[in-house]
Amino acid sequence: MSVSMRYQNMFETVSANNHLAYIPFVIVGDPNPELSIQIIDKLVESGADGLELGLAFSDPVADGPVIQQATLRPLANQFTIESGLNLIGQIREKYPELPIGLLTYANLVFAQGIETFLNKCRNVGIDSVLVADCPVKESRLFAKTAKDCGIQLVFIAPPDASDDTLQQIAQNSQGYTYVLSRKGITGTEVAASKAKTDFLQKLRQYNSPPLVQGFGISEPQHVFDAANAGVDGIITGSAIVNLINQHYNNPQIMLEQIGDYVRSIAEAAHTDHGSVA
Amino acid sequence: MSLNNTNSTQFEYDGAYIGQYGGQFVPQILVPALEQLEGAFESAIKDEDFLAELNELLNHYAGRPTPLTECQTFGRTENCRIFLKREDLLHGGAHKTNQVLAQALLAKRMGKTRVIAETGAGQHGVATALACALLGLKATVYMGKKDCDRQAPNVFRMRLMGAEVIPVDNGSASLKDAINEALRDWASSYDDTHYLLGTAAGPHPFPKMVKRFQQVIGEEAKKQMLEQTGQLPDAVIACVGGGSNAIGIFADFIKEEQVKLIGVEPAGHGLDSDAHGATLLKGTEGIIHGSRTHILQTKEGQIRESHSVSAGLDYPAVGPEHVHLMTSGRAEYVGITDDEALQAFQDLSHAEGIIPALESSHALAYAKKLSQQADKPTVLLVNLSGRGDKDLSHVMAILDEANATKDSNGEA
């Protein structure tokens, strides 16, 4: 099955204006299904160009304390993978052109059968799947099935990866390549470092899809730094999830603060950054 | 024993995999750290200087070889003799020290100055703490909050030897969560830090490497069996949590097809209950902590909490090689409940003057069962993987509670 054109279309529009794409991240179903939909609506109306949605897993080893809290909350609340995917289906119906990526862990893809899982993803309108604990060297477990199901597999490029690895990542990642601003796990405690740009150039040389930077991006200044480093888009996760952690008992305040925050990042992303590359 | 499609390479690693199990399912950021470790490991085991230095430590610091002791009364029947491989006498109190010394030497060889580790019962943490004290490395040990409480003496031991112990209160607050925390630490610290994983599980090269550094148990035991009995054992029995003591004693017997290999899993409150850690018997295939293996999990792939009276077996996954040994038919896996293990803990103490670890008590309980069924001359080799000093207060509390219940029932 052929993959969707949503990422390609979105990046073309964004780069035509010399903007960065802004892809916010939240855990789907958090803190509950109803509020989760309201949160996602808020992300979109405040300027998101795409969505990266995390699927709650009991053992999220790539995540820091902020996202761990958010991932365990729906799990304690009768959340199921089935209900999470159905919720994404509702989001897809509302926003037919919006690129939607799923961020998950290998065991959730594997447990019910790789083909079953990825077909469900395709059926609810997910464009890409990033498996947080599947490095490119293990990608063969999922790659063929993903292709058959029309799902784009996204891989993560760390700043200190070898040239060989960067080449494999560039060649295997589809939709976009998730580039790390720093080592470690998700969270805003350690800010993005702005020095590393050579690995971004290498990824481009190896014909990577658009580069989207994540981990440690929380302020508008980080967005300008990312633009200077030459990426095509940015992801913020922990900063938004932190607002959910703090205010989920007071939905009105939570939604207002998420709206304000996402607008501030979207504004920075949607500035004319000049032409790069 | 008949094996399916036996060939000489069936039980060897092919890259990161043994059979279809294993692999390197970790965040991309950790791949260079694992590749560096794999390179260092493969070169070290071919380096005579490294092996000599390791042997020196094993013999003159840790106390190898450990004895092989024949039980005088425990499990002794007309037909059956039980031999114990005495890893309980190893420095540190358990088999863990064998491979920790090796990995700590590797850490120095790679120029690392800090070591992180996870621990369940605390035995691996203690071994890590002692090796780091000896070799001048900084140690940080992650330990589930629940385990810190039930293994308090080991927490004190680690701190006494200079290790920092960090209680982990996430998830089920036990071994799997301690591994998660160690992996998170390593994702930003690998430049100067070695993750000293304590069992034959996790991402490649850990399962292969831990096996290589624990196989000394089986090599010694085989030689000692031949010296003391003139024959190989009919069966080798070991408890299985992550599976390092079992793979260590099995390794040199895998090619001896007439020797049965029996792994004993923690059946907790019973294999049909929700409270056990019998990953091989009751788990299903999945991917956790870097490895394609068997896991206790829901249909949708969420990891379930395991249960065992022994913290060291309380882990919802297992080393990949055990899955391969089971599915190929080379090894057999059975369950022993908390109550049966507690009984064996007391039985061995009473019969032989040896207090076994609760983990090893699972293997002992199964050996005793076999001895009672033996209808022809049978020689059993049991890996007594650790000593029970760490379990005393925990077992005392359980037995006191059981007696109190019995008394109140008696009065009613």
Side-chain angles (χ1 to χ4, degrees):
Chain A
M1 189 178 278
S2 61
V3 300
S4 79
M5 296 293 286
R6 293 186 188 102
Y7 280 110
Q8 196 182 327
N9 293 340
M10 182 272 282
F11 281 112
E12 275 171 13
T13 310
V14 167
S15 71
N17 297 314
N18 294 329
H19 292 173
L20 292 194
Y22 177 31
I23 305 180
F25 167 94
V26 289
I27 297 282
V28 68
D30 176 49
N32 60 49
E34 296 72 30
L35 277 176
S36 181
I37 291 200
Q38 290 181 44
I39 288 169
I40 290 166
D41 284 340
K42 184 61 83 180
L43 300 178
V44 178
E45 78 191 37
S46 308
D49 299 300
L51 294 170
E52 185 74 3
L53 300 177
L55 200 53
F57 178 51
S58 54
D59 292 78
V61 291
D63 288 307
V66 169
I67 291 179
Q68 283 176 50
Q69 227 182 308
T71 203
L72 296 176
R73 197 160 34 224
L75 286 179
N77 227 344
Q78 280 83 49
F79 169 90
T80 62
I81 300 303
E82 195 74 22
S83 66
L85 292 176
N86 289 338
L87 201 143
I88 295 175
Q90 294 176 47
I91 305 290
R92 168 55 72 216
E93 278 179 29
K94 286 188 181 182
Y95 310 106
E97 297 310 321
L98 193 71
I100 298 180
L102 188 73
L103 194 150
T104 183
Y105 284 86
N107 200 48
L108 296 183
V109 183
F110 189 86
Q112 45 183 300
I114 298 168
E115 192 177 347
T116 307
F117 181 86
L118 292 176
N119 267 325
K120 281 182 189 171
C121 289
R122 174 73 191 203
N123 291 339
V124 298
I126 288 167
D127 300 301
S128 70
V129 171
L130 194 171
V131 184
D133 55 348
C134 182
V136 71
K137 72 193 294 185
E138 296 290 359
S139 62
R140 65 188 179 280
L141 181 63
F142 303 118
K144 188 184 173 300
T145 315
K147 191 161 183 260
D148 293 345
C149 298
I151 289 287
Q152 295 170 295
L153 282 188
V154 173
F155 290 95
I156 290 189
D160 59 354
S162 68
D163 284 8
D164 250 15
T165 304
L166 289 174
Q167 184 167 8
Q168 282 182 50
I169 290 166
Q171 286 169 357
N172 284 281
S173 202
Q174 297 168 303
Y176 70 95
T177 297
Y178 193 129
V179 299
L180 294 189
S181 0
R182 55 159 174 76
K183 296 191 287 191
I185 51 177
T186 60
T188 55
E189 298 83 357
V190 183
S193 63
K194 51 185 169 180
K196 285 263 183 186
T197 54
D198 50 333
F199 82 113
L200 302 175
Q201 282 153 17
K202 283 178 189 158
L203 285 167
R204 287 207 196 278
Q205 278 166 27
Y206 297 131
N207 296 317
S208 167
L211 307 178
V212 179
Q213 187 175 344
F215 279 36
I217 296 189
S218 61
E219 301 164 14
Q221 184 54 47
H222 298 150
V223 181
F224 292 106
D225 294 342
N228 286 334
V231 301
D232 304 289
I234 45 116
I235 291 180
T236 65
S238 297
I240 299 170
V241 173
N242 204 21
L243 294 173
I244 302 175
N245 289 351
Q246 282 171 22
H247 302 296
Y248 69 92
N249 281 324
N250 195 335
Q252 199 187 337
I253 288 182
M254 176 184 72
L255 291 167
E256 269 172 30
Q257 295 212 2
I258 289 173
D260 291 346
Y261 174 78
V262 170
R263 266 191 303 279
S264 74
I265 299 295
E267 220 167 86
H270 300 159
T271 305
D272 188 335
H273 295 284
S275 136
V276 288
Chain B
M1 166 163 291
S2 73
L3 299 176
N4 308 328
N5 309 316
T6 308
N7 64 54
S8 59
T9 60
Q10 189 190 357
F11 296 106
E12 285 169 23
Y13 278 81
D14 178 12
Y17 284 84
I18 183 140
Q20 68 188 54
Y21 306 102
Q24 226 165 47
F25 291 91
V26 293
Q28 186 76 51
I29 190 93
L30 280 174
V31 171
L34 291 170
E35 288 178 349
Q36 183 196 19
L37 178 59
E38 185 179 4
F41 162 64
E42 295 291 351
S43 93
I45 55 173
K46 292 183 196 90
D47 178 349
E48 288 188 9
D49 290 344
F50 175 86
L51 295 175
E53 193 179 358
L54 175 58
N55 276 333
E56 170 70 23
L57 288 178
L58 288 174
N59 296 340
H60 296 135
Y61 178 75
R64 297 217 74 87
T66 59
L68 183 75
T69 303
E70 181 169 9
C71 290
Q72 297 307 306
T73 53
F74 179 84
R76 185 135 196 169
T77 63
E78 198 180 330
N79 278 325
C80 192
R81 301 167 71 188
I82 294 180
F83 290 80
L84 306 176
K85 181 59 177 162
R86 300 292 305 278
E87 295 301 295
D88 62 316
L89 292 177
L90 196 68
H91 178 48
H95 72 290
K96 296 287 185 187
T97 305
N98 295 322
Q99 74 98 10
V100 166
L101 288 172
Q103 280 201 54
L105 284 179
L106 263 186
K108 292 204 81 159
R109 196 179 161 94
M110 291 186 289
K112 314 279 181 185
T113 54
R114 174 175 175 258
V115 162
I116 53 175
E118 83 295 337
T119 195
Q123 288 305 110
H124 176 58
V126 166
T128 300
L130 68 85
C132 288
L134 177 70
L135 297 172
L137 294 158
K138 186 175 180 303
T140 299
V141 179
Y142 291 97
M143 185 170 187
K145 174 84 179 54
K146 196 170 89 182
D147 294 336
C148 288
D149 296 342
R150 60 180 164 178
Q151 306 286 346
N154 270 347
V155 175
F156 183 63
R157 276 188 192 101
M158 288 183 263
R159 289 184 171 148
L160 198 56
M161 292 186 282
E164 175 191 23
V165 180
I166 302 183
V168 177
D169 207 5
N170 304 334
S172 58
S174 76
L175 181 56
K176 86 174 167 73
D177 308 282
I179 296 177
N180 290 342
E181 255 346 271
L183 285 167
R184 288 177 185 126
D185 181 318
W186 208 29
S188 59
S189 65
Y190 55 80
D191 281 342
D192 68 357
T193 298
H194 172 59
Y195 178 18
L196 208 166
L197 206 151
T199 189
H204 180 71
F206 287 108
K208 182 181 179 184
M209 180 170 68
V210 172
K211 175 192 184 186
R212 169 63 184 78
F213 292 138
Q214 289 292 5
Q215 73 188 29
V216 62
I217 304 172
E219 287 165 357
E220 275 177 20
K222 189 189 215 176
K223 196 165 149 256
Q224 290 165 324
M225 286 298 300
L226 289 170
E227 280 167 10
Q228 293 178 33
T229 69
Q231 67 166 97
L232 292 176
D234 295 292
V236 180
I237 304 169
C239 63
V240 179
S244 72
N245 91 79
I247 207 69
I249 198 164
F250 287 175
D252 207 39
F253 291 99
I254 290 174
K255 57 184 178 288
E256 311 288 354
E257 292 185 21
Q258 75 275 24
V259 178
K260 271 187 154 184
L261 305 178
I262 303 174
V264 185
E265 294 201 279
H269 297 169
L271 287 176
D272 294 325
S273 74
D274 284 338
H276 60 72
T279 314
L280 290 158
L281 292 167
K282 291 290 181 174
T284 49
E285 200 179 338
I287 296 166
I288 186 73
H289 295 148
S291 201
R292 182 167 172 181
T293 183
H294 264 224
I295 309 176
L296 298 178
Q297 58 181 324
T298 68
K299 281 202 172 69
E300 289 194 328
Q302 308 292 354
I303 311 305
R304 284 178 39 203
E305 290 185 17
S306 54
H307 161 84
S308 172
V309 68
S310 67
L313 303 182
D314 196 350
Y315 180 51
V318 65
E321 186 161 354
H322 286 293
V323 191
H324 183 58
L325 287 171
M326 177 178 74
T327 53
S328 64
R330 177 62 190 95
E332 179 191 348
Y333 294 86
V334 298
I336 282 291
T337 65
D338 287 352
D339 288 346
E340 291 171 322
L342 282 162
Q343 191 59 51
F345 180 91
Q346 299 167 77
D347 288 349
L348 191 79
S349 304
H350 205 258
E352 307 291 332
I354 299 171
I355 303 172
L358 273 176
E359 290 76 12
S360 325
S361 300
H362 287 73
L364 291 163
Y366 191 72
K368 193 166 184 183
K369 270 191 189 179
L370 281 186
S371 72
Q372 285 157 356
Q373 294 160 8
D375 51 12
K376 59 176 194 296
T378 304
V379 176
L380 303 177
L381 169 62
V382 178
N383 196 5
L384 183 50
S385 55
R387 59 173 173 253
D389 305 44
K390 68 182 174 62
D391 297 311
L392 292 179
S393 59
H394 182 47
V395 173
M396 209 172 357
I398 293 172
L399 296 181
D400 282 351
E401 196 182 329
N403 286 334
T405 313
K406 224 184 275 169
D407 289 350
S408 69
N409 286 349
E411 283 163 18

